[in-house]
């Protein structure tokens, strides 16, 4: 079976090659390959306009952006976070010498349960790092209230949240900083890439120093910065992709609706509820297989693979089960019962803009045949 016939959990948004060639020609001519070049500057401006945020700093990938966001805010000690995410969320804490404190998730949003955050705060806590999982907004008001009461910073891992809006606009405006990923597997990609969304020019300046080794000018280094810069090919790809991303999200929505119509009501298969009043971006289509379904989640996962359907268990195992985290007191199984159950039940079905209804039919047929 060719790669084209296989159904992957996602496929990148890739605009027509001929439309990218003029950008490449420009880069070849100018010989500006990186370090805040013209496409980099254009993309920062275009994204801030599109997303309706004050400032955005581009990065080579989302993980470096997370690491730098924590540096930017001078976070210390303990950070409250979710175990139900991609491992990069917590790894960014370890790379800053910080201690993750895991708090359980809400069973409907799959985000940090705001009702359990306060109990995890200690004198060492300096920040909360929630994740808008699958682009579903966190309980932003409750989280901010707790942060204000205890003087904590809030850094949102918004890797899944490109173009997600509530009634007031982009959800990237919440918290002290929000971090995006533009990895190939995301709704919007720059091959690899990421960004920090920040509220003011002073913070953006600090982030820009930090992502460029800490250089403030040719001879002055103001912080122990890293090399987190996005290059010109990535930025050019991002600019081109802006022409296509909203149509791509509309195509994702179509597949999401198609799956919902076919799968709702199947015993033992729970679907993610779409939060009302939110403009969603449909990055994943998770289903949750419980004991009423004749197959276990892993049996269904294998059944899919036998049929060249590469569903993925995002997110399993829990971050708190990986060796570098499982010794933490907050990683104890009894502390995270909801996250554990969700991680044991989740299966993300293929969803991407070029997917056809007939592709979705293949996925649906396997579930229906085994129900
Ligand atoms: N925080 C959160 C909440 C995140 O989800 C992520 C990343 C991050 C932080 C970190 O951001 P980055 O540093 O990555 O910018 C993938 C991605 O590598 C990762 O970006 C993503 N989350 C995570 C959820 O998924 P894998 O190892 O599962 O991806 P992989 O290579 O198995 O790809 C999945 C499928 O996608 C493949 O079976 C085929 C398809 N694919 C993939 C790539 C890379 C393509 O068709 N083309 C491609 O180029 O981690």
């Amino acid at each position: 079976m060719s790669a084209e016939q296989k159904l992957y959990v996602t496929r990148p948004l890739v605009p027509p090659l001929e439309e990218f060639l003029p950008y490449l020609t420009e880069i070849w001519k100018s010989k500006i390959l990186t370090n805040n070049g013209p496409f980099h500057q254009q993309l920062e401006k275009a994204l801030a306009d599109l997303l309706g945020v004050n400032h955005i700093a581009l990065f080579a990938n989302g993980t470096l952006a997370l690491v730098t966001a924590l540096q930017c805010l001078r976070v210390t000690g303990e950070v409250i976070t979710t175990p139900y995410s991609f491992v990069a969320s917590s790894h960014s804490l370890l790379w800053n010498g910080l201690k993750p404190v895991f708090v359980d998730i809400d069973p409907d949003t799959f985000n940090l349960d705001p009702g359990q955050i306060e109990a995890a705060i200690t004198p060492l806590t300096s920040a909360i790092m929630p994740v808008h999982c699958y682009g579903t907004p966190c309980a932003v008001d409750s989280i901010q209230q707790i942060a204000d009461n205890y003087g904590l910073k809030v850094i949102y891992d918004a890797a899944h949240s490109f173009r997600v809006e509530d009634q007031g606009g982009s959800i990237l405006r919440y918290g002290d900083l929000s971090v995006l990923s533009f990895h190939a597997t995301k709704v919007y990609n720059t091959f690899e890439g990421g960004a920090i969304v920040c509220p003011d020019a002073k913070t953006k300046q600090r982030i820009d120093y930090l992502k460029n080794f800490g250089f403030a000018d040719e001879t002055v280094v103001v912080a122990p910065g890293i090399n987190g810069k996005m290059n010109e090919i990535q930025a050019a790809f991002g600019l081109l992709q802006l022409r296509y991303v909203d149509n791509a999200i509309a195509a994702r929505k179509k597949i999401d609706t198609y799956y919902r119509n076919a799968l709702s009501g199947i015993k033992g298969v729970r679907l993610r509820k779409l939060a009302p009043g939110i403009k969603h971006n449909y990055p994943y289509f998770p289903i949750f297989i419980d004991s009423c379904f004749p197959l276990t989640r892993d049996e269904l996962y294998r059944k899919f693979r036998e049929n060249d359907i590469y569903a993925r268990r995002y997110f399993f195992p829990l971050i708190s089960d990986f060796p570098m985290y499982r010794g933490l007191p907050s990683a104890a199984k009894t502390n995270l019962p909801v996250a554990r159950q969700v991680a044991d039940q989740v299966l993300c079905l293929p969803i991407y803009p070029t997917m056809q209804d007939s592709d979705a039919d293949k996925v649906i047929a396997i579930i229906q045949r085994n129900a």
Side-chain angles (χ1 to χ4, degrees):
M1 173 147 319
S2 76
E4 289 318 305
Q5 290 164 302
K6 290 180 178 169
L7 282 177
Y8 294 105
V9 68
T10 189
R11 299 294 276 164
L13 174 57
V14 180
L17 179 59
E18 56 277 17
E19 291 186 27
F20 195 44
L21 295 179
Y23 290 92
L24 288 180
T25 307
E26 190 58 39
I27 293 169
W28 257 242
K29 268 204 289 201
S30 73
K31 296 192 172 45
I32 304 290
L33 309 187
T34 185
N35 285 9
N36 198 26
F39 288 134
H40 184 285
Q41 291 178 29
Q42 281 177 46
L43 184 59
E44 284 194 343
K45 181 159 186 340
L47 283 173
D49 289 348
L50 177 76
L51 300 171
V53 296
N54 291 344
H55 296 278
I56 189 158
L58 296 172
F59 276 78
N61 61 61
T63 304
L64 279 169
L66 278 173
V67 168
T68 307
L70 293 158
Q71 283 280 317
C72 172
L73 298 175
R74 299 182 174 86
V75 174
T76 58
E78 297 180 0
V79 178
I80 291 173
T81 192
T82 169
Y84 190 72
S85 180
F86 189 59
V87 72
S89 309
S90 289
H91 278 0
S92 70
L93 299 175
L94 293 196
W95 274 75
N96 277 287
L98 301 166
K99 181 176 169 187
V101 175
F102 296 111
V103 162
D104 209 358
I105 59 169
D106 177 282
D108 290 323
T109 65
F110 314 109
N111 293 329
L112 266 186
D113 179 349
Q116 298 195 42
I117 292 176
E118 262 185 287
I121 295 174
T122 76
L124 295 178
T125 310
S126 69
I128 308 172
M129 192 170 75
V131 179
H132 301 296
C133 189
Y134 312 134
T136 300
C138 290
V140 288
D141 293 335
S142 311
I143 290 171
Q144 195 58 54
Q145 189 62 59
I146 296 167
D148 290 345
N149 289 348
Y150 290 86
L152 308 177
K153 302 285 187 198
V154 181
I155 301 104
Y156 280 105
D157 179 337
H160 302 171
S161 308
F162 189 84
R163 289 301 262 150
V164 175
E165 293 178 3
D166 63 15
Q167 265 133 18
S170 170
I171 64 164
L172 301 170
R173 71 190 189 282
Y174 293 112
D176 292 279
L177 298 173
S178 283
V179 176
L180 287 160
S181 165
F182 304 148
H183 183 261
T185 55
K186 296 291 187 279
V187 165
Y188 167 85
N189 85 81
T190 56
F191 282 51
E192 294 268 1
I196 303 179
V197 171
C198 64
D200 57 82
K202 192 162 163 240
T203 310
K204 156 95 162 117
Q205 179 69 263
R206 176 164 163 76
I207 294 167
D208 284 346
Y209 292 156
L210 282 170
K211 77 177 190 190
N212 187 30
F213 314 98
F215 275 110
D217 67 29
E218 224 176 285
T219 53
V220 178
V221 173
V222 294
I226 199 162
N227 181 357
K229 291 169 274 115
M230 176 181 277
N231 70 46
E232 285 293 278
I233 294 196
Q234 288 173 284
F237 195 75
L239 278 169
L240 173 58
Q241 188 141 155
L242 287 179
R243 295 183 202 159
Y244 291 91
V245 68
D246 281 346
N247 282 343
I249 292 171
R252 286 175 172 276
K253 180 177 183 172
K254 239 181 100 225
I255 296 290
D256 183 287
T257 307
Y258 196 81
Y259 273 142
R260 273 176 203 282
N261 289 339
L263 298 176
S264 55
I266 296 184
K267 208 159 169 243
V269 178
R270 180 162 81 100
L271 308 184
R272 169 173 85 112
K273 286 191 202 100
L274 290 173
I278 299 297
K279 189 166 158 254
H280 292 275
N281 66 348
Y282 313 95
Y284 299 95
F285 194 91
I287 61 171
F288 304 88
I289 305 299
D290 68 29
S291 56
C292 296
F293 196 76
L295 301 185
T296 64
R297 183 275 309 269
D298 288 343
E299 284 166 348
L300 182 59
Y301 167 82
R302 284 192 289 274
K303 187 72 72 186
F304 277 134
R305 287 182 83 91
E306 285 160 19
N307 289 277
D308 281 309
I309 296 167
Y310 295 87
R312 294 291 291 267
R313 291 161 289 189
Y314 295 133
F315 292 101
F316 169 85
L318 288 179
I319 297 176
S320 47
D321 282 346
F322 289 118
M324 60 297 294
Y325 300 104
R326 65 181 169 224
L328 293 169
S330 64
K333 287 190 173 20
T334 48
N335 191 42
L336 308 165
V338 177
R340 189 160 299 284
Q341 186 180 53
V342 170
D344 287 343
Q345 293 183 342
V346 70
L347 201 50
C348 287
L349 306 183
I351 183 165
Y352 46 90
T354 52
M355 206 172 144
Q356 304 298 312
D357 291 353
S358 55
D359 295 323
D361 285 336
K362 289 183 202 155
V363 179
I364 292 161
I366 287 175
I367 299 174
Q368 287 174 338
R369 213 180 301 144
N370 289 281

